[in-house]
């Protein structure tokens, strides 16, 4: 099968806390200056900044005017966009990843399934996973804590994802954890993994950066560093296959029963 190179801009930035208008302007500027890329990825809860309180004025409305501005920017530059924000849902708010395709069309929303710490009281967990399509390639979306659960990435891989993309707001002292988990999810599923994290001081936490593009063999094809705001470009040759490791998905067996278990 012929490979296609997908270009991705990893926007490791510090959002303006509780200022969606400022963050929208920042996103538009990044898209405009990286119009040669297929996809620009912003961190978790970038729309209003990372917080678990006072969410109503920070929620991103995919039918609202601000979202339409971002969609028009994406269409104008032919660049798809993935970003995080709070989303008003029936029972409260979700911690969501919003996707806009290269023609400026809403392409689906993923709601974070695995909530961390105070997020469990602030957000409603999502109940389904999500594949998005960029330049004809299917990418499996995760948000931060999701990557610490192998079954999330595996389900996306089994559903046909050609790469994984995670938006994050990972904080100290967990920087090493996400470097490890992001790499493991790539290798064990045989899929490239784009990981984009916030950086700098937020409302309660200091975010660890470490945005990167990981190959199917765990190599770093792009890395943004741990402390500075930067937009790093990565290239993914899709579909990707390891030349040295087995195809774990093809070799998998159904889950076996456990002998000698408890309850």
């Amino acid at each position: 099968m012929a490979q296609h190179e997908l270009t991705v801009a990893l926007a490791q930035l510090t959002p303006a806390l509780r200022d969606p208008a400022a963050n929208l302007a920042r996103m538009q500027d990044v898209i405009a200056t990286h119009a040669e890329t297929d996809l620009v990825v912003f961190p978790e809860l970038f729309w209003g900044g990372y917080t678990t309180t006072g969410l109503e004025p920070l929620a991103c409305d995919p039918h609202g005017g601000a979202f339409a501005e971002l969609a028009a920017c994406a269409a104008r530059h032919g660049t798809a966009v993935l970003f995080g924000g709070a989303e008003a849902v029936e029972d409260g708010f979700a911690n969501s990843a919003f996707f806009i395709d290269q023609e400026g069309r809403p392409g689906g929303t993923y709601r974070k399934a695995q909530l961390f710490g105070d997020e469990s009281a602030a957000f409603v967990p999502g109940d389904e996973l999500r594949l998005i399509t960029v330049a004809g390639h299917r990418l499996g979306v995760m948000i931060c804590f999701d990557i610490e659960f192998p079954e999330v990435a595996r389900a996306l891989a089994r559903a046909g994802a050609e790469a994984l993309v995670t938006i994050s707001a990972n904080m100290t002292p967990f920087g090493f954890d996400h470097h490890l988990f992001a790499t493991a999810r790539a290798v064990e599923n045989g899929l490239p993994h784009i990981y984009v994290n916030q950086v700098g001081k937020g409302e309660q936490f200091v975010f660890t950066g470490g945005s990167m593009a990981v190959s199917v063999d765990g190599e770093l094809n792009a890395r943004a560093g741990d402390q500075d705001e930067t937009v790093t470009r990565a290239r993914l040759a899709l579909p990707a296959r390891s030349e040295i490791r087995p195809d774990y998905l093809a070799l998998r067996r159904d889950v076996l029963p456990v002998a000698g278990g408890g309850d």
Side-chain angles (χ1 to χ4, degrees):
M1 181 182 299
Q3 286 187 320
H4 172 262
E5 185 175 83
L6 196 70
T7 57
V8 185
L10 289 64
Q12 177 173 290
L13 303 174
T14 305
L17 186 63
R18 301 187 183 278
D19 194 346
N23 295 324
L24 171 61
R26 188 86 185 273
M27 293 166 73
Q28 291 172 310
D29 181 64
V30 171
I31 293 166
T33 55
H34 293 82
E36 74 281 4
T37 59
D38 295 304
L39 172 67
V40 179
V41 182
F42 296 90
E44 176 185 14
L45 292 176
F46 189 83
W47 186 263
Y50 185 92
T51 183
T52 55
T53 63
L55 296 173
E56 185 170 356
L58 307 181
C60 178
D61 179 4
H63 305 291
F67 189 93
E69 284 186 45
L70 187 62
C73 181
R76 188 161 56 249
H77 297 289
T79 301
V81 185
L82 182 69
F83 68 95
E87 178 192 12
V89 295
E90 183 176 353
D91 298 321
F93 297 92
N95 180 340
S96 298
F98 297 88
F99 176 63
I100 299 170
D101 73 13
Q102 291 167 289
E103 296 183 7
R105 300 172 301 195
T109 300
Y110 167 62
R111 295 164 183 160
K112 187 176 182 180
Q114 299 292 344
L115 300 174
F116 177 80
D118 292 345
E119 293 174 7
S120 295
F123 297 110
V124 177
D127 57 6
E128 66 178 4
L129 302 179
R130 167 74 62 178
L131 296 178
I132 60 175
T133 301
V134 179
H137 295 281
R138 291 177 294 179
L139 312 182
V141 178
M142 295 183 285
I143 302 177
C144 202
F145 200 38
D146 286 332
I147 69 168
E148 302 190 29
F149 298 83
E151 58 271 22
V152 177
R154 179 53 56 90
L156 292 167
R158 293 185 67 174
E162 295 175 69
L164 303 170
V165 56
T166 297
I167 63 172
S168 189
N170 187 40
M171 68 288 289
T172 58
F174 305 116
F176 172 76
D177 297 41
H178 272 209
H179 180 91
L180 176 65
F181 289 128
T183 304
R185 300 296 85 87
V187 173
E188 70 193 4
N189 291 294
L191 298 177
H193 190 177
I194 296 292
Y195 172 84
V196 179
N197 193 25
Q198 285 194 31
V199 70
K201 192 176 187 311
E203 183 178 56
Q204 291 181 284
F205 305 111
V206 175
F207 299 102
T208 60
S211 302
M212 56 186 176
V214 188
S215 79
V216 296
D217 289 314
E219 300 165 342
L220 296 187
N221 292 334
R223 179 151 166 67
D226 300 329
Q227 299 181 8
D228 297 324
E229 287 193 305
T230 184
V231 180
T232 302
R233 183 171 169 172
R235 294 179 173 86
L236 305 182
L238 299 177
R241 296 288 182 269
S242 173
E243 295 182 1
I244 61 175
R245 287 182 170 81
D247 184 340
Y248 296 117
L249 291 179
L251 294 174
R252 73 181 186 274
R253 297 180 63 192
D254 290 334
V255 176
L256 302 177
V258 179
D263 298 337

